[in-house]
Amino acid sequence: MLKKLCEKGIFKNEHAIVFAQISREEFYGRQSREFVEDTFDGSLPRFLTAFIGKKKLSDAQVEEMKALIENYRES
C-alpha cells in the first residue's frame, strides 16, 4: 500500500523514512476530485445535486456558492 501511495506522489520513502509529499488539504482535494470523476463522470452539478438532495439552502449558502463559482469562472 505504501508503495502505491509513493507512486501517486502522496508519500516519499527515503532510506526507510517516509515523508508526506502533499498537505492534508491537498490530499482531501485529490480524493474529492477523484470521487466526483469516478462517481458522477466529473460533473460537479450532478455531485452537488446528489449532495444537497431535498435540503433547502439558506440565502447565505446560495450567495457563498455564487461567489465561489464566480471566483473560478473561466475567462
Side-chain angles (χ1 to χ4, degrees):
M1 167 127 313
L2 182 58
K3 182 179 178 182
K4 286 187 179 194
L5 293 173
C6 289
E7 289 171 358
K8 289 184 176 186
I10 295 172
F11 292 109
K12 184 176 183 180
N13 186 355
E14 285 185 0
H15 310 292
I17 299 173
V18 178
F19 301 92
Q21 290 283 91
I22 61 174
S23 69
R24 181 181 303 244
E25 291 79 19
E26 177 62 23
F27 173 76
Y28 287 132
R30 284 185 185 185
Q31 291 293 99
S32 299
R33 287 186 294 276
E34 191 173 304
F35 175 77
V36 171
E37 285 294 326
D38 294 345
T39 309
F40 299 96
D41 295 323
S43 172
L44 188 55
R46 286 181 51 209
F47 166 74
L48 289 173
T49 300
F51 182 78
I52 293 169
K54 296 186 184 289
K55 293 186 286 183
K56 297 293 182 185
L57 298 175
S58 69
D59 289 341
Q61 289 172 318
V62 170
E63 291 306 315
E64 185 177 355
M65 290 179 72
K66 284 181 182 179
L68 284 169
I69 291 167
E70 199 56 43
N71 286 336
Y72 288 94
R73 183 185 296 256
E74 291 180 6
S75 298

Coordinates of all heavy atoms in Angstrom, one line a residue:
M1 N 0.8 -1.2 0.0 CA 0.0 0.0 0.0 C 0.9 1.3 0.0 O 0.6 2.2 -0.7 CB -0.9 0.0 1.2 CG -1.6 1.3 1.4 SD -3.2 1.4 1.6 CE -4.5 1.2 1.4
L2 N 1.9 1.3 0.8 CA 2.8 2.4 0.9 C 3.5 2.7 -0.4 O 3.6 3.8 -0.9 CB 3.8 2.2 2.0 CG 4.8 3.4 2.2 CD1 4.0 4.7 2.6 CD2 5.8 3.1 3.4
K3 N 3.8 1.6 -1.1 CA 4.5 1.7 -2.4 C 3.5 2.5 -3.4 O 4.0 3.3 -4.1 CB 4.9 0.4 -3.0 CG 5.6 0.4 -4.3 CD 6.0 -1.0 -4.8 CE 6.7 -0.9 -6.1 NZ 7.0 -2.2 -6.6
K4 N 2.3 2.1 -3.4 CA 1.3 2.7 -4.3 C 1.1 4.2 -4.0 O 1.0 5.0 -4.8 CB 0.0 2.0 -4.3 CG 0.0 0.7 -5.0 CD -1.4 0.1 -5.0 CE -1.3 -1.3 -5.8 NZ -2.6 -1.7 -6.2
L5 N 1.1 4.5 -2.7 CA 0.9 5.9 -2.3 C 2.2 6.7 -2.7 O 2.1 7.9 -3.0 CB 0.7 6.0 -0.8 CG -0.7 5.5 -0.3 CD1 -0.7 5.4 1.2 CD2 -1.8 6.3 -0.9
C6 N 3.3 6.1 -2.6 CA 4.6 6.8 -3.1 C 4.5 7.0 -4.6 O 4.9 8.0 -5.1 CB 5.8 6.0 -2.7 SG 6.2 6.0 -0.9
E7 N 4.0 6.0 -5.3 CA 3.9 6.1 -6.8 C 2.9 7.2 -7.2 O 3.1 7.9 -8.2 CB 3.4 4.8 -7.4 CG 4.5 3.7 -7.3 CD 4.0 2.4 -7.7 OE1 2.8 2.2 -8.0 OE2 4.8 1.4 -7.8
K8 N 1.9 7.5 -6.3 CA 1.0 8.5 -6.6 C 1.5 9.9 -6.2 O 0.8 10.9 -6.4 CB -0.4 8.3 -5.9 CG -1.1 7.1 -6.5 CD -2.5 7.0 -5.8 CE -3.3 5.9 -6.4 NZ -4.7 5.8 -5.8
G9 N 2.7 9.9 -5.5 CA 3.2 11.2 -5.1 C 2.7 11.7 -3.8 O 2.9 12.9 -3.5
I10 N 2.0 10.9 -3.0 CA 1.5 11.3 -1.8 C 2.6 11.2 -0.7 O 2.7 12.1 0.2 CB 0.3 10.5 -1.4 CG1 -0.8 10.7 -2.4 CG2 -0.2 10.8 0.0 CD1 -2.0 9.8 -2.3
F11 N 3.4 10.2 -0.7 CA 4.5 10.0 0.2 C 5.8 9.8 -0.5 O 5.8 9.4 -1.7 CB 4.2 8.8 1.1 CG 3.1 8.9 2.1 CD1 1.9 8.2 1.9 CD2 3.2 9.8 3.2 CE1 0.9 8.3 2.8 CE2 2.2 9.9 4.1 CZ 1.0 9.2 3.9
K12 N 6.9 10.0 0.2 CA 8.2 9.7 -0.3 C 8.9 8.9 0.7 O 8.9 9.2 1.9 CB 8.9 11.1 -0.5 CG 10.3 10.9 -1.2 CD 10.9 12.3 -1.4 CE 12.2 12.2 -2.1 NZ 12.8 13.5 -2.3
N13 N 9.5 7.8 0.2 CA 10.2 6.9 1.1 C 11.7 7.0 0.8 O 12.2 6.6 -0.3 CB 9.7 5.5 0.8 CG 10.3 4.4 1.8 OD1 11.2 4.8 2.6 ND2 9.8 3.2 1.7
E14 N 12.5 7.5 1.7 CA 13.9 7.6 1.6 C 14.6 6.9 2.7 O 14.5 7.3 3.9 CB 14.4 9.1 1.6 CG 14.0 9.9 0.4 CD 14.6 11.3 0.4 OE1 15.2 11.7 1.4 OE2 14.4 12.0 -0.6
H15 N 15.3 5.8 2.4 CA 16.1 5.1 3.4 C 15.2 4.7 4.6 O 15.6 4.8 5.7 CB 17.3 5.9 3.9 CG 18.1 6.4 2.8 ND1 18.8 5.7 1.9 CD2 18.3 7.7 2.4 CE1 19.5 6.4 1.0 NE2 19.1 7.7 1.3
A16 N 14.0 4.2 4.3 CA 13.0 3.7 5.2 C 12.4 4.8 6.1 O 11.8 4.5 7.1 CB 13.6 2.6 6.1
I17 N 12.6 6.0 5.7 CA 11.9 7.1 6.4 C 10.9 7.7 5.4 O 11.2 8.0 4.3 CB 12.9 8.2 6.8 CG1 14.0 7.7 7.7 CG2 12.2 9.4 7.4 CD1 15.1 8.6 8.1
V18 N 9.7 7.8 5.9 CA 8.6 8.2 5.0 C 8.2 9.6 5.3 O 8.0 10.0 6.4 CB 7.3 7.2 5.2 CG1 6.2 7.7 4.4 CG2 7.7 5.8 4.9
F19 N 8.0 10.4 4.2 CA 7.7 11.8 4.3 C 6.4 12.0 3.5 O 6.2 11.5 2.4 CB 8.8 12.7 3.7 CG 10.1 12.6 4.3 CD1 11.0 11.7 3.8 CD2 10.5 13.3 5.4 CE1 12.3 11.5 4.3 CE2 11.7 13.2 6.0 CZ 12.7 12.3 5.4
A20 N 5.6 12.9 4.0 CA 4.4 13.3 3.3 C 4.8 14.3 2.2 O 5.6 15.2 2.4 CB 3.4 14.0 4.2
Q21 N 4.3 14.1 1.0 CA 4.7 15.0 -0.1 C 3.7 16.1 -0.3 O 4.0 17.1 -1.0 CB 4.8 14.1 -1.4 CG 5.9 13.2 -1.5 CD 7.2 13.9 -1.8 OE1 7.9 14.3 -0.9 NE2 7.5 14.0 -3.1
I22 N 2.5 15.9 0.2 CA 1.4 16.9 0.0 C 0.8 17.1 1.3 O 0.9 16.4 2.3 CB 0.3 16.4 -1.0 CG1 -0.3 15.1 -0.5 CG2 0.9 16.2 -2.4 CD1 -1.5 14.6 -1.4
S23 N 0.1 18.3 1.4 CA -0.6 18.6 2.7 C -1.9 17.8 2.8 O -2.4 17.2 1.8 CB -1.0 20.1 2.7 OG -2.0 20.4 1.7
R24 N -2.5 17.8 4.0 CA -3.8 17.2 4.2 C -4.8 17.7 3.3 O -5.7 17.0 2.8 CB -4.1 17.4 5.7 CG -5.4 16.7 6.1 CD -5.7 16.9 7.6 NE -4.6 16.5 8.4 CZ -4.6 15.5 9.3 NH1 -5.8 14.9 9.5 NH2 -3.6 15.1 10.0
E25 N -4.8 19.1 3.2 CA -5.9 19.7 2.3 C -5.8 19.2 0.9 O -6.8 19.0 0.2 CB -5.7 21.2 2.4 CG -6.1 21.8 3.8 CD -5.0 21.7 4.8 OE1 -3.8 21.5 4.5 OE2 -5.3 21.7 6.0
E26 N -4.5 19.2 0.4 CA -4.3 18.7 -1.0 C -4.8 17.2 -1.1 O -5.4 16.9 -2.1 CB -2.9 18.8 -1.4 CG -2.5 18.3 -2.8 CD -3.3 19.0 -3.9 OE1 -3.7 20.2 -3.8 OE2 -3.4 18.4 -5.0
F27 N -4.5 16.4 -0.1 CA -4.9 15.0 -0.2 C -6.4 14.9 -0.3 O -6.9 14.2 -1.1 CB -4.4 14.3 1.1 CG -4.9 12.9 1.2 CD1 -4.4 11.9 0.4 CD2 -5.9 12.6 2.0 CE1 -4.9 10.6 0.4 CE2 -6.5 11.3 2.1 CZ -5.9 10.3 1.3
Y28 N -7.1 15.6 0.6 CA -8.6 15.6 0.6 C -9.1 16.2 -0.7 O -10.1 15.7 -1.2 CB -9.2 16.3 1.8 CG -9.0 15.5 3.1 CD1 -8.5 16.1 4.2 CD2 -9.3 14.2 3.1 CE1 -8.3 15.4 5.4 CE2 -9.1 13.4 4.3 CZ -8.7 14.1 5.4 OH -8.5 13.3 6.6
G29 N -8.5 17.2 -1.2 CA -8.9 17.7 -2.5 C -8.8 16.7 -3.6 O -9.7 16.6 -4.5
R30 N -7.7 16.0 -3.7 CA -7.5 15.0 -4.7 C -8.5 13.9 -4.5 O -9.1 13.4 -5.5 CB -6.1 14.3 -4.5 CG -5.0 15.1 -5.1 CD -3.7 14.3 -5.0 NE -2.5 15.1 -5.3 CZ -1.3 14.6 -5.4 NH1 -1.1 13.3 -5.2 NH2 -0.3 15.3 -5.8
Q31 N -8.8 13.4 -3.3 CA -9.8 12.4 -3.0 C -11.1 12.9 -3.5 O -11.9 12.1 -4.1 CB -9.8 12.1 -1.5 CG -8.6 11.4 -1.0 CD -8.4 10.0 -1.6 OE1 -7.7 9.8 -2.5 NE2 -9.1 9.0 -1.1
S32 N -11.5 14.1 -3.2 CA -12.8 14.6 -3.6 C -12.9 14.7 -5.1 O -14.0 14.3 -5.7 CB -13.0 16.0 -3.0 OG -13.0 16.0 -1.6
R33 N -11.9 15.2 -5.8 CA -12.0 15.3 -7.3 C -12.1 13.9 -7.9 O -12.8 13.7 -8.8 CB -10.8 16.0 -7.8 CG -10.8 17.5 -7.5 CD -9.7 18.3 -8.2 NE -8.4 18.0 -7.7 CZ -7.9 18.5 -6.6 NH1 -8.5 19.4 -5.9 NH2 -6.7 18.2 -6.2
E34 N -11.3 12.9 -7.3 CA -11.4 11.6 -7.8 C -12.7 11.0 -7.6 O -13.3 10.3 -8.5 CB -10.3 10.7 -7.1 CG -10.1 9.4 -7.7 CD -8.9 8.7 -7.1 OE1 -7.8 9.2 -7.1 OE2 -9.1 7.5 -6.6
F35 N -13.4 11.2 -6.5 CA -14.7 10.7 -6.2 C -15.7 11.3 -7.2 O -16.5 10.6 -7.8 CB -15.1 11.1 -4.8 CG -16.5 10.7 -4.4 CD1 -16.9 9.4 -4.2 CD2 -17.5 11.7 -4.4 CE1 -18.2 9.1 -3.9 CE2 -18.8 11.4 -4.1 CZ -19.2 10.1 -3.8
V36 N -15.6 12.6 -7.5 CA -16.6 13.2 -8.4 C -16.3 12.7 -9.8 O -17.3 12.4 -10.5 CB -16.4 14.8 -8.4 CG1 -17.2 15.4 -9.5 CG2 -16.9 15.3 -7.0
E37 N -15.1 12.5 -10.2 CA -14.8 11.9 -11.5 C -15.3 10.5 -11.6 O -16.0 10.2 -12.6 CB -13.2 11.9 -11.7 CG -12.6 13.2 -12.1 CD -13.1 13.8 -13.4 OE1 -13.3 13.0 -14.3 OE2 -13.2 15.0 -13.5
D38 N -15.1 9.7 -10.7 CA -15.5 8.3 -10.7 C -17.0 8.1 -10.6 O -17.6 7.2 -11.2 CB -14.8 7.4 -9.6 CG -13.3 7.4 -9.9 OD1 -12.8 7.7 -11.0 OD2 -12.6 7.0 -8.9
T39 N -17.6 8.8 -9.7 CA -19.0 8.6 -9.4 C -20.0 9.4 -10.2 O -21.1 8.9 -10.5 CB -19.2 8.9 -7.9 OG1 -18.2 8.2 -7.1 CG2 -20.6 8.5 -7.4
F40 N -19.6 10.6 -10.6 CA -20.5 11.5 -11.3 C -20.0 11.9 -12.7 O -20.3 12.9 -13.2 CB -20.8 12.7 -10.5 CG -21.4 12.4 -9.2 CD1 -20.7 12.3 -8.0 CD2 -22.8 12.2 -9.1 CE1 -21.3 12.0 -6.8 CE2 -23.4 11.9 -7.9 CZ -22.6 11.8 -6.7
D41 N -19.1 11.1 -13.2 CA -18.5 11.4 -14.6 C -17.9 12.8 -14.6 O -17.9 13.4 -15.6 CB -19.5 11.2 -15.7 CG -19.9 9.7 -15.8 OD1 -19.1 8.8 -15.6 OD2 -21.1 9.5 -16.1
G42 N -17.4 13.2 -13.5 CA -16.7 14.5 -13.4 C -17.7 15.7 -13.4 O -17.2 16.9 -13.5
S43 N -18.9 15.5 -13.2 CA -19.9 16.5 -13.3 C -20.1 17.1 -11.8 O -20.8 16.5 -11.0 CB -21.3 16.0 -13.8 OG -22.3 17.0 -13.6
L44 N -19.6 18.3 -11.6 CA -19.8 19.0 -10.3 C -21.3 19.3 -10.1 O -21.8 19.0 -9.0 CB -19.0 20.2 -10.3 CG -18.9 20.9 -8.9 CD1 -18.5 20.0 -7.8 CD2 -18.0 22.1 -9.0
P45 N -22.1 19.7 -11.1 CA -23.5 20.0 -10.8 C -24.2 18.7 -10.4 O -25.1 18.7 -9.5 CB -24.0 20.5 -12.2 CG -22.8 21.1 -12.8 CD -21.7 20.3 -12.4
R46 N -23.9 17.5 -11.0 CA -24.6 16.3 -10.6 C -24.2 15.9 -9.2 O -25.0 15.4 -8.4 CB -24.2 15.1 -11.6 CG -24.9 15.3 -12.9 CD -24.6 14.2 -13.9 NE -24.7 12.9 -13.3 CZ -24.1 11.8 -13.7 NH1 -23.2 11.9 -14.7 NH2 -24.3 10.6 -13.1
F47 N -22.9 16.1 -8.8 CA -22.5 15.8 -7.5 C -23.2 16.7 -6.5 O -23.8 16.3 -5.5 CB -21.0 16.1 -7.3 CG -20.5 16.1 -5.9 CD1 -20.5 15.0 -5.1 CD2 -20.2 17.4 -5.3 CE1 -20.1 15.1 -3.8 CE2 -19.8 17.5 -4.0 CZ -19.8 16.3 -3.2
L48 N -23.3 18.0 -6.8 CA -24.0 18.9 -5.8 C -25.5 18.6 -5.7 O -26.0 18.7 -4.6 CB -23.8 20.4 -6.3 CG -22.4 21.0 -6.2 CD1 -22.3 22.3 -6.8 CD2 -22.0 21.0 -4.7
T49 N -26.1 18.2 -6.8 CA -27.5 17.8 -6.7 C -27.7 16.6 -5.8 O -28.6 16.6 -5.0 CB -28.0 17.5 -8.1 OG1 -27.9 18.7 -9.0 CG2 -29.5 17.1 -8.1
A50 N -26.8 15.6 -5.9 CA -26.9 14.4 -5.1 C -26.6 14.8 -3.6 O -27.2 14.3 -2.7 CB -26.0 13.4 -5.6
F51 N -25.6 15.6 -3.4 CA -25.1 16.0 -2.1 C -26.2 16.8 -1.4 O -26.5 16.5 -0.2 CB -23.9 16.8 -2.2 CG -23.3 17.2 -0.8 CD1 -22.6 16.3 0.0 CD2 -23.5 18.5 -0.3 CE1 -22.1 16.6 1.2 CE2 -23.0 18.8 0.9 CZ -22.3 17.9 1.7
I52 N -26.8 17.7 -2.0 CA -27.8 18.6 -1.4 C -29.1 17.8 -1.2 O -29.8 18.0 -0.2 CB -28.1 19.9 -2.2 CG1 -26.8 20.7 -2.2 CG2 -29.3 20.6 -1.7 CD1 -26.8 21.9 -3.2
G53 N -29.5 17.0 -2.2 CA -30.7 16.2 -2.0 C -31.9 17.1 -2.0 O -32.0 18.0 -2.8
K54 N -32.8 16.9 -1.0 CA -34.0 17.6 -0.9 C -33.9 18.8 0.1 O -34.9 19.5 0.4 CB -35.1 16.7 -0.5 CG -35.5 15.7 -1.6 CD -36.7 14.9 -1.3 CE -36.9 13.8 -2.2 NZ -37.4 14.2 -3.6
K55 N -32.7 19.0 0.6 CA -32.5 20.1 1.6 C -32.6 21.4 0.9 O -32.3 21.5 -0.3 CB -31.1 20.0 2.2 CG -30.9 18.8 3.1 CD -29.6 18.9 3.8 CE -28.4 18.5 2.9 NZ -27.1 18.5 3.5
K56 N -33.0 22.4 1.6 CA -33.0 23.8 1.1 C -31.8 24.5 1.6 O -31.3 24.3 2.7 CB -34.3 24.5 1.6 CG -35.6 23.9 1.1 CD -35.7 24.0 -0.4 CE -37.0 23.5 -0.8 NZ -37.2 23.5 -2.3
L57 N -31.3 25.4 0.7 CA -30.1 26.2 1.1 C -30.5 27.5 1.6 O -31.5 28.1 1.1 CB -29.2 26.4 -0.2 CG -28.6 25.1 -0.8 CD1 -27.9 25.5 -2.1 CD2 -27.7 24.4 0.1
S58 N -29.8 28.0 2.6 CA -30.1 29.3 3.1 C -29.6 30.4 2.1 O -28.8 30.1 1.2 CB -29.4 29.6 4.4 OG -28.0 29.7 4.2
D59 N -30.1 31.6 2.2 CA -29.7 32.7 1.3 C -28.2 32.9 1.4 O -27.5 33.1 0.4 CB -30.4 34.0 1.7 CG -31.9 34.0 1.3 OD1 -32.3 33.1 0.4 OD2 -32.6 34.8 1.8
A60 N -27.6 32.7 2.6 CA -26.2 32.9 2.8 C -25.4 31.8 2.1 O -24.4 32.1 1.5 CB -25.9 32.9 4.3
Q61 N -25.9 30.6 2.1 CA -25.2 29.5 1.4 C -25.3 29.7 -0.1 O -24.3 29.4 -0.8 CB -25.9 28.1 1.8 CG -25.6 27.7 3.2 CD -26.4 26.5 3.6 OE1 -27.6 26.4 3.3 NE2 -25.8 25.5 4.3
V62 N -26.4 30.1 -0.6 CA -26.5 30.4 -2.0 C -25.6 31.5 -2.5 O -24.9 31.4 -3.5 CB -28.0 30.8 -2.4 CG1 -28.1 31.3 -3.8 CG2 -28.9 29.6 -2.2
E63 N -25.5 32.6 -1.7 CA -24.6 33.7 -2.0 C -23.1 33.2 -1.9 O -22.3 33.6 -2.8 CB -24.8 34.8 -1.1 CG -26.1 35.5 -1.3 CD -26.3 36.0 -2.8 OE1 -25.4 36.5 -3.4 OE2 -27.4 35.7 -3.3
E64 N -22.8 32.4 -1.0 CA -21.4 31.8 -0.8 C -21.1 31.0 -2.1 O -20.0 31.1 -2.6 CB -21.3 31.0 0.4 CG -19.9 30.6 0.7 CD -19.7 29.8 2.0 OE1 -20.7 29.8 2.8 OE2 -18.6 29.3 2.3
M65 N -22.0 30.2 -2.5 CA -21.7 29.3 -3.7 C -21.6 30.2 -4.9 O -20.7 29.9 -5.8 CB -22.9 28.3 -3.8 CG -22.8 27.2 -2.7 SD -24.1 26.0 -2.9 CE -23.6 25.1 -4.3
K66 N -22.4 31.2 -5.1 CA -22.3 32.1 -6.2 C -20.9 32.7 -6.2 O -20.3 32.8 -7.3 CB -23.4 33.2 -6.2 CG -24.8 32.7 -6.6 CD -25.8 33.8 -6.5 CE -27.2 33.5 -6.8 NZ -28.1 34.6 -6.7
A67 N -20.5 33.2 -5.1 CA -19.1 33.8 -5.0 C -18.0 32.8 -5.4 O -17.1 33.2 -6.1 CB -18.9 34.4 -3.6
L68 N -18.1 31.6 -4.9 CA -17.1 30.6 -5.3 C -17.1 30.3 -6.8 O -16.1 30.3 -7.4 CB -17.4 29.3 -4.5 CG -17.1 29.2 -3.1 CD1 -17.6 28.0 -2.4 CD2 -15.6 29.2 -2.9
I69 N -18.3 30.2 -7.3 CA -18.4 29.9 -8.8 C -17.8 31.1 -9.6 O -17.0 30.9 -10.5 CB -19.9 29.7 -9.2 CG1 -20.3 28.4 -8.6 CG2 -20.0 29.7 -10.7 CD1 -21.8 28.1 -8.7
E70 N -18.1 32.3 -9.1 CA -17.6 33.5 -9.8 C -16.1 33.6 -9.8 O -15.4 33.9 -10.7 CB -18.2 34.8 -9.2 CG -18.1 36.0 -10.1 CD -18.7 35.8 -11.5 OE1 -19.8 35.2 -11.6 OE2 -18.1 36.2 -12.5
N71 N -15.5 33.2 -8.6 CA -14.0 33.2 -8.5 C -13.3 32.2 -9.3 O -12.2 32.3 -9.7 CB -13.7 32.9 -7.0 CG -13.9 34.1 -6.1 OD1 -14.0 35.3 -6.6 ND2 -14.1 33.9 -4.8
Y72 N -14.0 31.1 -9.7 CA -13.4 30.0 -10.5 C -13.9 30.0 -11.9 O -13.6 29.1 -12.7 CB -13.7 28.7 -9.8 CG -12.9 28.5 -8.6 CD1 -13.4 28.8 -7.3 CD2 -11.6 28.0 -8.7 CE1 -12.6 28.6 -6.2 CE2 -10.8 27.8 -7.6 CZ -11.3 28.1 -6.3 OH -10.5 28.0 -5.2
R73 N -14.7 31.0 -12.3 CA -15.2 31.0 -13.7 C -14.1 31.2 -14.7 O -13.2 32.0 -14.5 CB -16.2 32.2 -13.8 CG -16.9 32.3 -15.2 CD -17.8 33.5 -15.2 NE -18.8 33.5 -14.3 CZ -20.1 33.2 -14.6 NH1 -20.4 33.0 -15.8 NH2 -21.0 33.2 -13.7
E74 N -14.2 30.5 -15.8 CA -13.2 30.7 -16.8 C -13.4 32.0 -17.5 O -14.5 32.4 -17.8 CB -13.3 29.5 -17.9 CG -12.9 28.2 -17.4 CD -13.0 27.1 -18.4 OE1 -13.4 27.4 -19.6 OE2 -12.8 25.9 -18.1
S75 N -12.3 32.7 -17.8 CA -12.4 34.0 -18.5 C -12.7 33.8 -20.0 O -12.2 32.9 -20.6 CB -11.2 34.8 -18.3 OG -11.0 35.0 -16.9

